[in-house]
């Protein structure tokens, strides 16, 4: 960030701070961008952990966090952290207590067997699912379902680790009678197939760090042609965010081996159930048809 930004008035609440971070993100240094992503993805952790602990998790020196805060107008990181603590104090009752209990389970674990891997994954997935339940805005979920239900064609794109999410969406939406087009990376035709999208269609894009270039490019192309984009990503600072009509940010918790897909899969299923309720005119017991009919 530029030197003259240190003279600005610091944001007085969490919402203003996040808005400022989004405004300045593109012009920040790579280190500051990494700090920004962590702050927006892990607000609860920022509220309760020391700057040294946060810095260690990010593999960034603590002094960089101090300078980051100062560049936004604060005297130091502690002053910036106060906004996260105020936000947490008004969070859903019991949420932070549940999160801490899950963390304690992991820290107190003595078992090093294969079964412990399963247990750790499940405990962390529970925390991720609680996060997404707290952060998903009902109106945005409804808007995304409306866009998918009303679209002439549903285009889907997601590569590498995101591919299973779009495959699930394609399967269920196809069974619901939607015309789905998977922009598969195989054969190198995804970008060319994307050029057939129209404003009457919808693009569902899924991408997490480190974002696949082809997915980002297709999302940007969709915006140029006024194609509404429903995006599932890991942060509101994701490159998909600028072009998305609806963005679902699913923060990713640290994992020893691999980041889990439990939360984005759950979100994808919730979207399809909402679409089913509209297609079937049944808001109480929408059903997802299966290939076998059983």
């Amino acid at each position: 960030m530029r030197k003259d930004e240190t003279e600005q008035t610091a944001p007085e609440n969490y919402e203003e701070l996040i808005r400022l971070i989004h405004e300045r993100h593109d012009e920040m240094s790579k280190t500051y961008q990494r700090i920004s992503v962590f702050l927006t993805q892990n607000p609860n952790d920022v509220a309760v952990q020391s700057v040294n602990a946060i810095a260690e998790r990010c593999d960034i020196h603590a002094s960089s966090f101090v300078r980051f805060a100062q560049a936004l107008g604060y005297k130091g990181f502690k002053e910036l952290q106060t906004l996260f603590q105020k936000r947490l104090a008004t969070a859903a009752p019991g949420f932070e207590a549940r999160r801490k209990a899950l963390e304690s389970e992991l820290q107190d674990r003595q078992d090093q067997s294969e079964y412990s891997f399963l247990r750790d994954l499940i405990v962390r997935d529970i925390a991720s699912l609680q996060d997404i339940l707290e952060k998903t805005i009902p109106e945005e979920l409804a808007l995304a379902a409306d866009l998918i239900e009303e679209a002439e064609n549903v285009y889907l794109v997601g590569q590498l680790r995101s591919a299973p999410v779009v495959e699930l969406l394609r399967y269920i939406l196809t069974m619901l009678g939607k015309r789905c087009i998977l922009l598969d990376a195989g054969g190198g035709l995804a970008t060319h197939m994307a050029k057939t999208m129209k404003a009457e269609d919808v693009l569902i894009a899924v991408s997490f760090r480190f974002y696949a270039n082809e997915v980002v490019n297709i999302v940007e192309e969709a915006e140029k042609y006024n194609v509404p984009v429903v995006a599932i990503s890991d942060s509101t600072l994701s490159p998909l965010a600028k072009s998305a009509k609806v963005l679902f940010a699913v923060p990713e918790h640290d994992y020893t081996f691999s980041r889990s897909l439990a939360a984005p899969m759950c979100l994808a299923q919730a979207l399809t159930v909402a679409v089913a309720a509209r297609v079937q005119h049944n808001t109480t017991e929408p059903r997802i048809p299966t290939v076998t009919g059983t």
Side-chain angles (χ1 to χ4, degrees):
M1 288 182 280
R2 299 185 300 271
K3 289 183 179 179
D4 58 2
E5 289 176 3
T6 59
E7 301 176 1
Q8 69 179 27
T9 302
E12 296 182 358
N13 57 57
Y14 173 82
E15 289 73 20
E16 290 179 4
L17 170 61
I18 297 303
R19 191 178 304 116
L20 179 61
I21 288 175
H22 278 81
E23 291 173 356
R24 300 285 171 82
H25 183 258
D26 288 346
E27 62 190 62
M28 292 179 181
S29 67
K30 294 296 184 183
T31 298
Y32 281 10
Q33 286 182 346
R34 288 170 58 196
I35 292 174
S36 297
V37 169
F38 184 87
L39 296 184
T40 56
Q41 282 192 323
N42 305 276
N44 293 341
D45 292 336
V46 175
V48 299
Q49 294 184 357
S50 69
V51 65
N52 289 328
I54 295 170
E56 184 176 354
R57 285 181 60 181
C58 297
D59 195 23
I60 297 173
H61 199 277
S63 62
S64 295
F65 283 82
V66 175
R67 289 194 295 270
F68 176 87
Q70 292 172 339
L72 295 178
Y74 299 100
K75 294 179 181 179
F77 186 77
K78 195 72 176 177
E79 189 174 335
L80 178 150
Q81 189 179 39
T82 301
L83 303 188
F84 288 82
Q85 293 168 342
K86 290 179 179 178
R87 170 195 169 276
L88 186 58
T90 59
F95 174 81
E96 182 59 17
R98 292 195 302 272
R99 189 186 69 84
K100 286 184 176 180
L102 292 171
E103 286 187 351
S104 296
E105 283 190 51
L106 291 173
Q107 293 171 357
D108 296 340
R109 177 176 62 81
Q110 301 297 322
D111 182 12
Q112 299 295 325
S113 69
E114 290 76 11
Y115 180 79
S116 70
F117 298 146
L118 174 64
R119 184 173 180 276
D120 285 6
L121 283 168
I122 291 175
V123 168
R124 293 183 188 277
D125 282 345
I126 290 172
S128 295
L129 291 167
Q130 288 178 333
D131 275 355
I132 197 171
L133 185 61
E134 181 197 48
K135 295 171 183 175
T136 298
I137 299 173
E139 292 78 10
E140 292 186 351
L141 192 61
L143 174 58
D146 288 339
L147 290 171
I148 296 169
E149 192 270 328
E150 295 168 3
E152 288 187 11
N153 302 289
V154 179
Y155 286 79
L156 303 111
V157 62
Q159 298 177 4
L160 302 173
R161 192 166 59 87
S162 304
V165 183
V166 294
E167 287 285 4
L168 175 68
L169 285 164
R170 181 178 68 153
Y171 166 68
I172 299 179
L173 291 174
T174 298
M175 296 306 296
L176 288 172
K178 299 301 300 181
R179 187 185 297 114
C180 296
I181 302 168
L182 178 64
L183 301 178
D184 192 348
L189 291 174
T191 303
H192 297 282
M193 292 170 63
K195 293 180 180 178
T196 64
M197 292 187 296
K198 308 183 300 297
E200 295 77 21
D201 302 324
V202 67
L203 171 66
I204 304 178
V206 185
S207 188
F208 307 103
R209 289 184 302 160
F210 298 92
Y211 314 98
N213 288 333
E214 191 170 37
V215 175
V216 175
N217 292 339
I218 288 173
V219 168
E220 291 176 348
E221 282 296 309
E223 183 185 23
K224 291 180 183 178
Y225 293 104
N226 297 317
V227 178
V229 177
V230 175
I232 299 175
S233 194
D234 60 331
S235 169
T236 52
L237 294 173
S238 161
L240 275 58
K242 293 180 180 178
S243 304
K245 191 173 185 70
V246 182
L247 172 71
F248 296 104
V250 185
E252 298 189 290
H253 292 270
D254 294 331
Y255 285 82
T256 303
F257 171 70
S258 176
R259 295 180 177 89
S260 173
L261 288 175
M265 281 291 198
C266 183
L267 177 60
Q269 287 180 298
L271 269 174
T272 58
V273 171
V275 173
R278 287 158 170 74
V279 170
Q280 299 168 358
H281 305 289
N282 183 352
T283 58
T284 56
E285 294 183 346
R287 306 288 297 179
I288 303 297
T290 61
V291 173
T292 61
T294 57

